[in-house]
Every structure is written in C-alpha cells, then in structure tokens.
Amino acid sequence: MSFQFLSDPWLIRNLDLKRPVGLIMGLVIHHISSTSEARRIVGEYVAALPSGSYLVMSHASNPRDGSRLADLAEKLEAKFKDSFHSLHFRQSEEIRSFFDGLELIDPGIVPIGAWWPSGPSLGVPSDVGQLCLGGVGRKP
C-alpha cells in the first residue's frame, strides 16, 4: 500500500480499520487528471476499508453531450484553470466507475442536491448545482 498515512500512529490510535468506517472524498478526485490513476487511488483507499464501510464522493462533472450544461461545464473548467490547474470534470459514467466493486446506494450518481432522500425537496438545482455529482457506495 502506498498510502503511508494509513500506518500513521495517530490514525491507528483513533480509527479502528477492523470496523466499518466512512471515507469521504469530497471534491478531491477531480484534481487527478488521469482517470486510470484516479481509479487506482480510489481503489487503494477502498481496498484498505473493512467490509461494511462506505465511500462518499462528490466530483465536478461535464455531460459532454453538446447540451447547455456541457457548455457551462467547459466554460467553468476554462475559467478555473488558472486557479485550479488540476481541476478535471468527468462524465457521470467515469464518476460511477470509482464505485466499481461497491454497492451503489440509491439514488446513485446524481447532483449532490438530490442526496437527501428523506429530507424536503430542495427544488430544481441551478445549472452549476447540476455539475457537481455525488454518490455513496457500500463495500460488501
């Protein structure tokens, strides 16, 4: 395993990796431009988790389908390149691939505003709000 922090004494004292835990990768993986490298990294993290653990991820997205949302995503990606040169928007299928081997929890990979299944409807998300997708997966 290449993640040295998983053997960090503080982590070992405070987190029992023999029991299910939640791993939150909020707006992190879209800073890795290579999808295969991003999959490898997520896979290593998930491999370190015990059965019953959860992966929660949010990620910038671009449907790349010629729609107004795709156009907006391209403009945002270009606008933020100077400040966040590593920002990489992905299609929902690519984001879904980070959950391979996990049980994807309903409602699946959706705009993060839709992730409050039992809460009140927050209404229709803004165009920008539709470009940040999220999902939850459980390790069997």
Side-chain angles (χ1 to χ4, degrees):
M1 168 116 6
S2 64
F3 299 112
Q4 295 176 351
F5 76 91
L6 290 173
S7 60
D8 182 270
W10 182 91
L11 185 130
I12 292 169
R13 265 193 328 272
N14 292 287
L15 188 64
D16 182 358
L17 287 177
K18 294 183 183 104
R19 299 179 61 200
V21 297
L23 172 62
I24 300 171
M25 295 183 139
L27 301 175
V28 173
I29 296 302
H30 61 220
H31 289 286
I32 301 168
S33 61
S34 165
T35 300
S36 61
E37 178 67 2
R39 278 191 201 109
R40 184 192 66 75
I41 290 168
V42 172
E44 283 194 35
Y45 276 103
V46 169
L49 301 178
S51 178
S53 293
Y54 288 85
L55 168 66
V56 177
M57 182 184 291
S58 58
H59 195 298
S61 70
N62 182 339
R64 300 193 204 293
D65 60 2
S67 67
R68 65 179 170 69
L69 287 177
D71 184 53
L72 176 60
E74 289 169 15
K75 288 177 182 172
L76 287 171
E77 199 169 7
K79 181 176 180 89
F80 291 125
K81 271 298 182 202
D82 289 339
S83 299
F84 301 101
H85 63 277
S86 62
L87 183 61
H88 184 76
F89 286 48
R90 290 189 171 89
Q91 292 178 283
S92 62
E93 297 81 22
E94 292 174 291
I95 297 167
R96 167 64 183 90
S97 75
F98 297 126
F99 292 88
D100 285 352
L102 302 177
E103 299 165 353
L104 195 60
I105 307 299
D106 285 336
I109 306 300
V110 296
I112 58 172
W115 256 105
W116 192 1
S118 62
S121 172
L122 299 177
V124 178
S126 67
D127 287 351
V128 171
Q130 293 182 56
L131 295 177
C132 186
L133 302 183
V136 178
R138 182 182 177 278
K139 184 173 179 179

